[in-house]
Structures are given as C-alpha cells and as structure tokens.
C-alpha cells in the first residue's frame, strides 16, 4: 500500500484492539518466562567469557535484531563491560578492522541464517575471537560456527501474520539484560562505578558526590558567631541566587551553628528587635546537621528528607565549612512520592477503576505455524 493511500478500515473495535494488545503482551511475557526455564550451562559459560574478556564485547545483528544488539551493547557498557555495536553490512566494507584479537563477538540472529552475519564468519575464525550466537536455531550455520550458543528456543511471533519480529526480539532483549547484569555482578560493579558511567540527569545527581553539586564556599554566607545578627545580615549579602542560611563559625573556624531566613522571620514576627544587635550565637541553631564533602548525594538527600530541612552545611574532616547543599540543588534526586493505588467502591482490591479484565489468552504457539 502506498504511503499516501488512505488506511483501510478493518472493523477492529476498541474492545478487540485491547484484547489483541493483551494477547501480544501475554505471548511475549510467556516467552520470557519460558526463556528463564531454558537457561543452561551455556548461559553461565557465556557470562564467564564476557566477564574475563580483556578486550571489547562486539555486538552484531541486522534489522530488528541489530537494534536489540545496540540496546544490549548500551546495557553492557553502562554496567561496566566495554562494548561496541558493529553493523554487519558496514563490517564487510572496512569496519571489521574494529575487531581485534582479545575481543568477544556476540551475534544476534533468530534464524541463524542472516546472510550479512554469515559473511563475517570466516574473518572471525581467522581472528580467533570467541563467538557467542544468540539464536532460536542452534543447528543453523551461525549456531554451528559459534563457540557458545544462547538458545532462545522455539518462539511464535506475536504478530498476527507471524512475520514481524516481536516475541523473538523481546526474548533477545531479556536474554541480553540477564547476561549483562550477571556479568556486572561478576565484575563487582558498584553504585560508585555506575555513577561514573551516568554523570548526567537526575540519575547522575543521585549517584554523584556532594562536592559535585554543593554551593562552593565562595557562594555561601559564612560569619563569625560573635557578630550581631544585624551586622551579619548586612555584611553577608551575596549577588545572584543564594542559600537561605548563614553558616556560623567559632574562633578556630569550625562550624558551630546555622541561622536561616526562617529564623530571621521568626525574630521579626516576635517584635524582639533588640535581639538583632546581640551576638548571633544566642539565636542560631547550634551544632546543625552536616554532611561531608565526599558523601554521596543519596545520603545527603536522605538527611534533608528525614529531618525536613532545606539547607545542609558541607564540612571537611575538621568540621570546617567547605560549602552548602541546598534542596534546590538536588531536587532531581529527591524520591518521587508513590501515590496509593486507586480502589473502586465495588471492588476494593481492584488496581484501577474501569480496567478491562480479559480471560487468559489462548497459547498462540499451539496454533497454525
């Protein structure tokens, strides 16, 4: 059908659409469950090979399998395993030079007979790299050529025509995730390692260290506890965006207290103007909660949330202030509130009012092949 031609109406009702979508999800979900039951020693051998690989893990695949290979590649890289995706068609036009001895190649092809992948086999043999095949047909040319086979098993595509890669690519993706995470655990990949691979966004903020996000001391308000409130308010003004707290120090420069904008508001509301000309140590919060500069942002966020404070002084090993962590600096790392599940009056255990409930789908793998 031409891209410009109008779509034919199929008489596919809204209820039938939801029922069909449910069958697709059940078919793919069941395939993943069956895949979990199929795991064998070959999976463990593949995990061992990847865990001990001194080079890079190279992912190969054409079409939809190639797209899954790119995602597996990204998952491996982000969890501590150096990996790259190599397009088989580009490989035979020079990109095979990206593969060297010591690398490991994982080729994805459900049929095991993808022409572009098979054309690479002679070169891979000459390079003597370990070849892992992820396929649904271990007896295929790819399966026979591989050192190890991750067998996806017999699968029926969720597509009504049985043609579009759906169940098979879901199984590949799930197998790749399982493999990447087992390897990551074998490599003792830690939260700190994860943070180094994910420095951006809210995830990066959560895994970063406090000194990466805190306001530096030059941007903070710091004063001597012996000065008066009025003197400090006048002298510690900062241009631009500032924190709502003043860090107070003693004779040795260590942090002794904190005075916030809220504290000032309470003083003014109480009508005790004379206190403004007394040493601030009389009205400051002594020994405030602090966090060290090398702490994780997750730990700092926990303190902010548990104690319902907006500013957290950052101190060094001598308890001298080195910065301030304001809640606005870490708002992206704050845990999102989880709303309680909605319940209908007729059925308190229902997850969501109006959710359509479908009978179990017929196992499509037992239908026409």
């Amino acid at each position: 059908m031409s891209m410009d031609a109008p779509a034919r109406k199929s008489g596919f009702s809204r209820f039938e659409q939801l029922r069909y979508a449910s069958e697709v999800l059940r078919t793919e979900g069941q395939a993943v469950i069956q895949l979990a039951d199929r795991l064998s020693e070959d999976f463990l051998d593949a995990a061992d090979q990847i865990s001990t690989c001194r080079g890079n893990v190279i992912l190969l695949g054409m079409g939809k399998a190639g797209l899954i290979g790119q995602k597996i590649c990204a998952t491996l890289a982000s969890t501590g395993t150096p990996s790259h995706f190599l397009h088989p068609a580009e490989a035979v036009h020079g990109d095979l030079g990206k593969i060297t001895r010591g690398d490991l190649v994982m080729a994805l092809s459900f049929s095991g007979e993808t022409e572009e992948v098979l054309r690479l086999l002679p070169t891979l043999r000459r390079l003597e790299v370990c070849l892992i095949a992820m396929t649904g047909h271990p007896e295929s040319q790819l399966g026979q050529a591989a050192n190890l086979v991750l067998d996806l098993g017999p699968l029926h595509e969720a597509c009504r025509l049985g043609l579009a890669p759906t169940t098979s690519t879901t199984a590949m993706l799930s197998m790749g995730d399982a493999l990447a995470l087992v390897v990551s655990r074998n490599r003792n990949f830690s939260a700190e390692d994860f943070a180094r691979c994910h420095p951006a966004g809210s995830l990066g903020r959560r895994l970063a260290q406090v000194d990466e996000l805190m306001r530096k001391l030059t941007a903070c308000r710091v004063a001597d506890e012996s000065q008066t409130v009025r003197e400090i308010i006048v002298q510690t003004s900062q241009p631009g965006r500032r924190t709502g707290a003043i860090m107070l120090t003693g004779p040795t420069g260590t942090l002794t207290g904190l005075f916030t904008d809220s504290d000032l508001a309470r003083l003014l509301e109480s009508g005790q103007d004379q206190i403004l000309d007394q040493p601030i140590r009389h009205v400051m919060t002594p020994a405030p909660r602090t966090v060290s500069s090398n702490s994780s942002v997750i730990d700092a966020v926990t303190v902010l949330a548990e104690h319902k404070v907006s500013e957290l002084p950052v101190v060094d090993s001598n308890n001298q202030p080195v910065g301030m962590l304001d809640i606005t600096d870490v708002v992206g790392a704050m845990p999102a509130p989880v709303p309680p599940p909605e319940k209908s009056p007729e059925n308190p255990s229902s997850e969501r009012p109006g959710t359509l409930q479908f009978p179990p789908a017929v196992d499509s793998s037992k239908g026409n092949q």
Side-chain angles (χ1 to χ4, degrees):
M1 184 177 67
S2 169
M3 292 297 291
D4 297 328
R8 293 191 295 256
K9 293 185 177 180
S10 64
F12 202 18
S13 72
R14 292 175 66 83
F15 179 83
E16 289 171 329
Q17 291 174 46
L18 285 175
R19 186 185 183 90
Y20 181 45
S22 175
E23 290 176 356
V24 170
L25 293 174
R26 290 178 189 276
T27 299
E28 295 190 0
Q30 188 60 39
V32 174
I33 293 174
Q34 291 173 354
L35 188 61
D37 295 333
R38 293 181 62 87
L39 292 180
S40 65
E41 291 290 326
D42 287 339
F43 177 90
L44 297 178
D45 291 341
D48 287 342
Q49 287 289 338
I50 296 174
S51 299
T52 57
C53 176
R54 294 186 178 182
N56 294 292
V57 176
I58 310 296
L59 277 295
L60 297 173
M62 284 296 296
K64 307 300 185 294
L67 295 174
I68 296 300
Q70 292 180 53
K71 194 278 176 184
I72 295 173
C73 174
T75 301
L76 285 166
S78 70
T79 54
T81 300
S83 60
H84 303 283
F85 177 77
L86 179 61
H87 195 288
E90 298 293 341
V92 295
H93 290 280
D95 282 3
L96 267 171
K98 295 179 179 180
I99 304 177
T100 61
R101 284 183 172 82
D103 289 342
L104 179 149
V105 173
M106 187 186 305
L108 281 66
S109 170
F110 184 68
S111 67
E113 301 293 345
T114 304
E115 179 183 353
E116 292 87 348
V117 174
L118 296 182
R119 290 167 65 184
L120 305 180
L121 296 181
T123 301
L124 297 180
R125 279 194 292 268
R126 286 195 296 272
L127 290 174
E128 299 179 350
V129 298
C130 176
L131 174 61
I132 299 175
M134 189 183 296
T135 179
H137 300 274
E139 73 287 354
S140 63
Q141 292 187 65
L142 177 61
Q144 293 296 318
N147 301 96
L148 292 167
V149 175
L150 296 173
D151 185 8
L152 300 173
L155 299 173
H156 181 79
E157 301 293 6
C159 165
R160 178 174 62 89
L161 303 176
L163 300 175
T166 47
T167 308
S168 59
T169 49
T170 298
M172 286 180 179
L173 181 61
S174 300
M175 178 72 86
D177 283 345
L179 193 60
L181 296 181
V182 168
V183 169
S184 178
R185 191 163 180 177
N186 284 347
R187 291 173 176 261
N188 293 316
F189 193 71
S190 66
E192 290 74 19
D193 297 324
F194 199 85
R196 284 193 289 272
C197 297
H198 300 77
S202 60
L203 181 61
R205 287 194 292 273
R206 288 177 57 197
L207 298 174
Q209 288 190 325
V210 167
D211 59 1
E212 297 176 43
L213 297 183
M214 70 180 187
R215 315 281 180 93
K216 303 301 181 183
L217 199 61
T218 53
C220 297
R221 296 189 289 172
V222 183
D224 192 290
E225 64 175 9
S226 63
Q227 292 180 277
T228 68
V229 177
R230 193 185 303 276
E231 289 173 339
I232 292 174
I233 296 298
V234 172
Q235 295 174 7
T236 60
S237 61
Q238 286 280 353
R241 192 164 65 101
R242 62 177 178 79
T243 61
I246 302 170
M247 292 183 285
L248 289 315
T249 58
T252 60
T254 58
L255 183 73
T256 56
L258 196 68
F259 186 79
T260 68
D261 287 352
S262 297
D263 294 330
L264 177 61
R266 280 191 290 271
L267 283 182
L268 297 176
E269 290 168 359
S270 69
Q272 304 178 60
D273 294 355
Q274 70 280 5
I275 297 181
L276 297 177
D277 295 308
Q278 294 183 12
I280 199 170
R281 61 172 172 266
H282 296 318
V283 291
M284 71 181 185
T285 299
R289 298 186 184 281
T290 62
V291 65
S292 64
S293 58
N294 59 357
S295 297
S296 71
V297 170
I298 292 179
D299 291 338
V301 165
T302 300
V303 175
L304 288 167
E306 287 183 354
H307 300 284
K308 296 180 174 59
V309 294
S310 301
E311 298 90 6
L312 197 58
V314 182
V315 296
D316 60 17
S317 57
N318 296 319
N319 199 43
Q320 294 184 337
V322 294
M324 176 78 78
L325 196 66
D326 191 280
I327 194 169
T328 59
D329 301 325
V330 294
V331 65
M334 298 294 285
V338 180
E342 300 177 16
K343 298 179 181 179
S344 64
E346 297 80 7
N347 182 12
S349 63
S350 67
E351 293 183 0
R352 202 158 45 92
T355 301
L356 294 177
Q357 299 296 323
F358 300 105
V362 176
D363 187 352
S364 58
S365 65
K366 298 179 182 178
N368 296 328
Q369 299 295 316

